[in-house]
């Protein structure tokens, strides 16, 4: 009897041990670079289906996301963003801010090489930042408050400001239109034009571009990663893959089919109505990124009918945003109606200021404003694209709503590169469709810049932004933001439609890849 009891206890212990071992094997890793599949593996080519052909591979030259997502693999800045979207050093070793002198002193990491073998120095940083300050929207924000940018020694620079500002590190960190550091010689060779030699310090180097076919990157063997763990886009970056191919694939359905058939390893921005289908396929994984972007309708405020803000207000007040977002996204799991220019997840910044002017569907008031603005049914050219499926569907539904009260809209469906080109030419459009990428700080939203497409030239706005970006107290900054957002909804330089959360898909063989507003493929490998 006693032996049977001991056997049952022994059997129970064996079963418990088996369950615990199984749980340990199945538990996903929270750290980058490892997961349940085992240790990372070197080698292989990752084929990424992107939404379209980039207009350039010079990240300073454009805000186009199709260029940025490739660029941050090739180029690096002094800072990047961590898992909480805060600034963290990358090419910078460390920094200090001297309040008495309004000066950021930044020390560079030693032994960093460019892809051409040259050692990184302060001369490269100063040349690159001076160019970025003239050309990039984020650079212009910083340089408006810049007293002096100077080299201290080979591995140290000073950024001397006119007035205190908390946003310098995040401006230098943000991935979109990043403050990429190039060799000084390449900056000088480009002059006022576009950089054509794609040389940075990143974990992958540029190899080849065959337009409308692919852009090929390869591992940079002399890359020097930061020590310690990965932290969002910061921390250690390891290039496990031999090559990455970015393949422009404008049709959403083709991107999804390509992953399901093995043609691609990863596809960005597939239709959210395919979510259940993807979940049912045991060969692929669905990735949802939240928060992500919000869709926006941008008015030409430099010439044409929308120079009159009453017409912009009429356009805004007429629209019912819900059917617009329903047409573009499968369910409320993938979109949200919200007036804030910052996302709800950004609790310190989210604001309802100006909400009385958002999503009103007030046709009577809209008609009255149209009459006051003197609109006589002139044709309004609206640039949109099918490369981003949500842009086309938002535009289509909005057009049908607006026609009912007399707006004469001509939808022009083009590739996204054409929108990027034409939106800087006010004679080419009255409206263009776009999206705002995730912005970690309200002071660096590029729309504030007068030269940003759509051309919101407004001294009052500029002064409000200046106050926001000069305030060191977070609570006071929030008050400035509330006032600025209320003014934004009064002036309607552009119209926010709604937040959306993107669905992407990858094959099971791809490991280490997470859903993020800024997808990256270092610390990623294939089994």
């Amino acid at each position: 009897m006693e032996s049977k009891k001991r056997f049952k206890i022994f059997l129970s212990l064996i079963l418990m041990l088996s369950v615990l071992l199984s749980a340990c094997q199945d538990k996903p890793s929270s750290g980058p670079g490892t997961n349940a599949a085992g240790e990372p593996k070197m080698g292989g080519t990752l084929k990424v289906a992107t939404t379209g052909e980039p207009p350039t591979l010079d990240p300073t030259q454009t805000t186009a996301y199709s260029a940025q997502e490739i660029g941050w693999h090739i180029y690096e800045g002094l800072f990047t963003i961590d898992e909480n979207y805060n600034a963290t050093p990358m090419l910078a070793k460390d920094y200090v801010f001297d309040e008495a002198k309004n000066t950021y002193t930044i020390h560079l990491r030693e032994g960093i090489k460019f892809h051409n073998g040259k050692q990184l120095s302060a001369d490269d940083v100063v040349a690159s930042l001076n160019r970025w300050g003239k050309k990039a929207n984020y650079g212009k924000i910083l340089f408006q408050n810049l007293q002096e940018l100077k080299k201290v020694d080979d591995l140290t620079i000073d950024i001397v400001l006119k007035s205190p500002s908390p946003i310098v590190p995040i401006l230098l960190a943000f991935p979109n239109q990043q403050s990429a550091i190039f060799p000084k010689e390449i900056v000088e060779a480009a002059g006022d034009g576009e950089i054509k030699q794609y040389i940075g310090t990143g974990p992958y180097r540029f190899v080849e571009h065959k337009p409308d076919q692919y852009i090929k990157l390869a591992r940079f063997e002399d890359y020097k990663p930061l020590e310690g763990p990965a932290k969002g886009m910061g921390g250690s970056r390891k290039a496990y893959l031999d090559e990455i191919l970015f393949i422009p694939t404008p049709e959403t359905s083709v991107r999804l089919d390509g992953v399901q058939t093995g043609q691609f390893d990863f596809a960005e921005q597939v239709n959210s109505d395919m979510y259940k289908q993807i979940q049912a396929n045991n060969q692929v994984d669905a990735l949802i990124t939240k928060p992500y972007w919000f869709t926006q309708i941008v008015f030409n405020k430099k010439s044409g009918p929308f120079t009159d803000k009453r017409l912009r207000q009429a356009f805004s007040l007429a629209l019912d945003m819900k059917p617009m977002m329903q047409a573009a996204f499968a369910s409320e799991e993938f979109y949200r109606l919200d007036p804030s220019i910052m996302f709800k997840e950004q609790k310190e910044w989210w604001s309802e200021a100006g909400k009385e002017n958002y999503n009103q569907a007030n046709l009577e008031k809209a008609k009255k404003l149209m009459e006051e603005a003197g609109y006589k049914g002139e044709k309004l050219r609206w640039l949109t694209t099918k490369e981003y499926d949500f842009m086309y569907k938002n535009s289509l539904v909005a057009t049908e709503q607006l026609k009912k009260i007399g707006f004469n809209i001509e939808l022009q469906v083009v590739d996204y590169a054409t929108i990027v080109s034409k939106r800087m030419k006010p004679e080419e459009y009255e409206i263009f469709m776009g999206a705002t990428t995730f912005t970690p700080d309200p002071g660096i939203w590029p729309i504030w810049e007068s030269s940003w497409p759509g051309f919101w030239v407004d001294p009052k706005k500029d002064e409000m932004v200046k106050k926001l970006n000069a305030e060191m107290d977070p609570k006071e900054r929030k008050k400035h933001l509330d006032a600025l957002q209320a003014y934004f909804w009064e002036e309607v330089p552009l119209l926010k439609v709604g937040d959306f959360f993107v669905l992407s898909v990858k094959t099971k063989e791809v490991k280490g890849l997470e859903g993020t507003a800024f997808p990256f493929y270092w610390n990623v490998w294939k089994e």
Side-chain angles (χ1 to χ4, degrees):
M1 188 74 179
E2 189 66 20
S3 62
K4 285 184 179 181
K5 185 176 180 181
R6 285 198 297 269
F7 178 77
K8 286 182 179 180
I9 294 172
F10 176 75
L11 184 60
S12 298
L13 289 170
I14 291 293
L15 289 171
M16 287 173 64
L17 181 61
S18 176
V19 169
L20 286 170
L21 286 171
S22 176
C24 290
Q25 290 171 350
D26 291 341
K27 183 180 178 180
S29 169
S30 58
T34 60
N35 69 8
E39 291 299 314
K41 296 182 179 181
M42 300 291 291
T45 297
L46 186 76
K47 296 179 181 179
V48 179
T50 65
T51 58
E53 180 75 10
T56 177
L57 289 182
D58 177 355
T60 307
Q61 196 77 14
T62 181
T63 60
Y65 182 79
S66 56
Q68 305 302 325
E69 64 176 327
I70 300 170
W72 59 61
H73 293 81
I74 304 171
Y75 316 107
E76 294 177 318
L78 296 176
F79 298 84
T80 188
I81 54 175
D82 64 16
E83 68 275 24
N84 296 316
Y85 299 100
N86 296 318
T88 186
M90 178 48 63
L91 294 179
K93 179 182 178 181
D94 55 42
Y95 74 99
V96 293
F97 178 62
D98 186 331
E99 293 185 21
K101 297 179 180 179
N102 286 334
T103 298
Y104 284 87
T105 297
I106 302 174
H107 303 104
L108 308 180
R109 291 165 57 203
E110 298 179 14
I112 302 298
K113 289 184 179 181
F114 287 103
H115 300 154
N116 62 1
K118 177 189 173 182
Q119 292 271 344
L120 170 73
S121 77
D123 290 323
D124 305 303
V125 174
V126 170
S128 299
L129 292 185
N130 275 325
R131 181 176 184 268
W132 175 73
K134 294 175 183 176
K135 286 183 168 288
N137 294 313
Y138 297 116
K140 291 173 182 176
I141 293 172
L142 190 153
F143 272 56
Q144 286 170 355
N145 189 31
L146 182 70
Q147 184 71 43
E148 185 180 12
L149 170 63
K150 63 182 180 179
K151 169 185 174 180
V152 177
D153 58 41
D154 285 347
L155 291 174
T156 310
I157 67 162
D158 274 351
I159 298 175
V160 186
L161 304 178
K162 298 173 185 175
S163 60
S165 177
I167 66 170
V168 171
I170 197 66
L171 282 168
L172 294 170
F174 199 51
N176 195 5
Q177 213 175 13
Q178 67 178 141
S179 56
I181 304 303
F182 307 92
K184 178 183 177 183
E185 298 77 18
I186 288 177
V187 173
E188 291 175 341
D192 292 331
E194 187 178 313
I195 280 178
K196 298 293 187 181
Q197 299 178 68
Y198 309 130
I199 295 174
T201 60
Y204 288 91
R205 58 182 177 83
F206 173 80
V207 176
E208 183 181 21
H209 180 193
K210 288 194 174 183
D212 298 314
Q213 293 186 51
Y214 62 79
I215 292 168
K216 181 189 292 187
L217 309 185
R219 182 191 302 114
F220 177 39
E221 299 295 349
D222 288 335
Y223 181 71
K224 184 178 179 180
L226 282 163
E227 295 181 359
K231 298 177 180 179
M233 298 186 84
S236 180
R237 295 179 172 184
K238 295 181 180 178
Y240 294 116
L241 302 161
D242 291 334
E243 294 180 337
I244 306 172
L245 291 182
F246 293 91
I247 304 168
T249 314
E251 290 295 328
T252 309
S253 59
V254 176
R255 293 200 293 273
L256 175 57
D257 291 344
V259 174
Q260 292 179 325
T261 59
Q263 180 184 359
F264 306 129
D265 299 300
F266 176 72
E268 60 185 31
Q269 295 194 24
V270 301
N271 280 342
S272 53
D273 55 9
M274 294 290 102
Y275 184 45
K276 290 184 179 180
Q277 175 187 324
I278 293 168
Q279 287 182 306
N281 186 338
N282 60 11
Q283 299 302 309
V284 299
D285 292 321
L287 298 175
I288 299 177
T289 302
K290 178 181 182 181
Y292 192 65
W293 296 359
F294 65 71
T295 63
Q296 63 191 24
I297 300 164
V298 185
F299 304 108
N300 176 0
K301 297 166 288 298
K302 193 170 188 176
S303 62
F306 288 114
T307 56
D308 191 321
K309 76 174 182 181
R310 291 172 297 184
L311 194 63
R312 303 195 301 266
Q313 290 170 340
F315 194 106
S316 173
L317 286 168
L319 287 176
D320 183 351
M321 306 303 186
K322 188 168 185 177
M324 293 171 64
M325 296 301 283
Q326 283 177 327
F329 304 99
S331 69
E332 292 186 15
E333 189 172 9
F334 290 96
Y335 76 87
R336 174 173 61 206
L337 301 181
D338 186 72
S340 180
I341 60 174
M342 305 297 283
F343 293 97
K344 275 191 173 180
E345 290 77 8
Q346 298 169 280
K347 294 180 181 179
E348 70 273 35
W349 298 125
W350 182 77
S351 174
E352 290 187 296
K355 67 178 182 179
E356 64 276 7
N357 295 316
Y358 171 75
N359 191 32
Q360 296 300 300
N362 190 332
L363 300 184
E364 184 178 341
K365 190 172 181 180
K367 283 183 180 180
K368 184 178 179 181
L369 285 167
M370 289 170 70
E371 292 172 3
E372 290 179 8
Y375 179 67
K376 304 296 184 183
E378 298 94 330
K379 181 171 69 176
L380 304 171
R381 298 163 295 173
W382 186 336
L383 300 174
T384 191
T385 184
K386 288 185 178 180
E387 288 183 10
Y388 291 96
D389 188 59
F390 63 86
M391 291 188 187
Y392 175 69
K393 289 179 177 177
N394 270 190
S395 307
L396 201 63
V397 175
T399 298
E400 292 305 312
Q401 291 184 19
L402 294 163
K403 282 180 178 178
K404 294 176 181 178
I405 60 168
F407 277 102
N408 179 15
I409 294 172
E410 177 186 87
L411 275 187
Q412 296 184 3
V413 184
V414 297
D415 58 83
Y416 188 67
T418 298
I419 293 181
V420 172
S421 173
K422 285 191 171 187
R423 70 188 188 180
M424 292 304 296
K425 303 170 184 175
E427 70 277 6
E428 294 282 356
Y429 69 95
E430 281 70 52
I431 310 163
F432 74 83
M433 195 73 206
T436 282
T437 56
F438 182 94
T439 302
D441 187 287
I444 69 171
W445 197 26
I447 282 79
W448 304 138
E449 179 57 46
S450 299
S451 62
W452 192 82
F455 316 106
W456 189 18
V457 179
D458 185 326
K460 181 177 178 180
K461 171 262 300 180
D462 295 341
E463 186 61 28
M464 296 176 83
V465 173
K466 184 178 179 180
K467 287 181 179 179
L468 173 68
N469 288 341
E471 179 57 63
M472 303 298 287
D473 185 333
K475 290 183 179 179
E476 290 301 312
R477 288 196 80 209
K478 177 58 165 58
K479 292 178 183 177
H480 288 310
L481 173 61
D482 288 339
L484 181 56
Q485 181 170 301
Y487 188 65
F488 166 85
W489 278 112
E490 178 186 335
E491 293 294 314
V492 203
L494 61 83
L495 179 58
K496 176 181 177 178
V497 181
D499 300 333
F500 70 94
F501 319 119
V502 73
L503 175 64
S504 300
V505 60
K506 71 175 185 67
T507 62
K508 293 283 187 182
E509 289 74 25
V510 176
K511 305 297 180 181
L513 180 61
E514 298 180 359
T516 168
F518 306 104
F520 54 87
Y521 309 109
W522 57 83
N523 300 337
V524 171
W525 72 97
K526 290 177 68 177
E527 287 197 330

